Amino acid sequence: MTWPSAEPLTTGDLRLEPLRVADAEEMAGVLADESLYRFTGGSAPSLSRLRARYRSQVRGASSDGTQGWLNWVVRVAPDRAAGFVQATLEDHGPVRVASLGWVVGPAWQGRGIATRAAGAVLGWLASRGVAEFRAYIHPDNAASRRVAAKLGLRPTALVLDGEVRWVSGPHTPG
């Protein structure tokens, strides 16, 4: 399976840079606030754990090749990391599907950063043949629900691991 590679993206005052292992140190600070894990569970990653995660993610695909992994660090002027956007790609028959995720550090929340950054990724992926977009959002996560709605996704009846599947595109079962 051939998956696209993340490319630098710009939208307004935001820059989205493809993830590098070297980003772990700066991102550990962005991801340190425990409030970020209220809806997803877990806790803030240690620097060593984050480096290991990034080493895996920058490979760009699962070991069996059935998923493509794209990750961007979201940067605001003057070159400060504010969060990330990720997309997991899969082919479902003739339809390429992207599951999107976004996290913005508490210091940057409420400024539309997640919507603009995830929107830039969605547009970039759509221009590369992705036909359906998904996001899995905890029902109590009002901020992520607003982002998904602004991206044109809508909730479905499907709940996986306590999260509602939101979808956009022609192939939207569940």
Side-chain angles (χ1 to χ4, degrees), residues 37-80:
Y37 309 95
R38 177 176 170 206
F39 300 113
T40 60
S43 60
S46 67
L47 179 55
S48 62
R49 200 167 101 212
L50 196 56
R51 280 187 183 127
R53 179 186 310 161
Y54 286 3
R55 274 192 291 277
S56 176
Q57 290 175 334
V58 298
R59 285 194 336 246
S62 60
S63 58
D64 64 3
T66 61
Q67 294 182 332
W69 299 335
L70 303 172
N71 295 273
W72 290 265
V73 172
V74 178
R75 295 192 171 279
V76 296
D79 196 34
R80 294 188 58 197

Side-chain angles (χ1 to χ4, degrees), residues 63-123:
S63 58
D64 64 3
T66 61
Q67 294 182 332
W69 299 335
L70 303 172
N71 295 273
W72 290 265
V73 172
V74 178
R75 295 192 171 279
V76 296
D79 196 34
R80 294 188 58 197
F84 68 83
V85 176
Q86 60 187 27
T88 300
L89 304 178
E90 298 178 294
D91 284 335
H92 293 256
V95 178
R96 182 154 283 180
V97 176
S99 294
L100 300 175
W102 50 83
V103 172
V104 172
W108 303 103
Q109 291 176 2
R111 302 179 191 189
I113 291 171
T115 301
R116 289 181 287 140
V121 168
L122 188 151

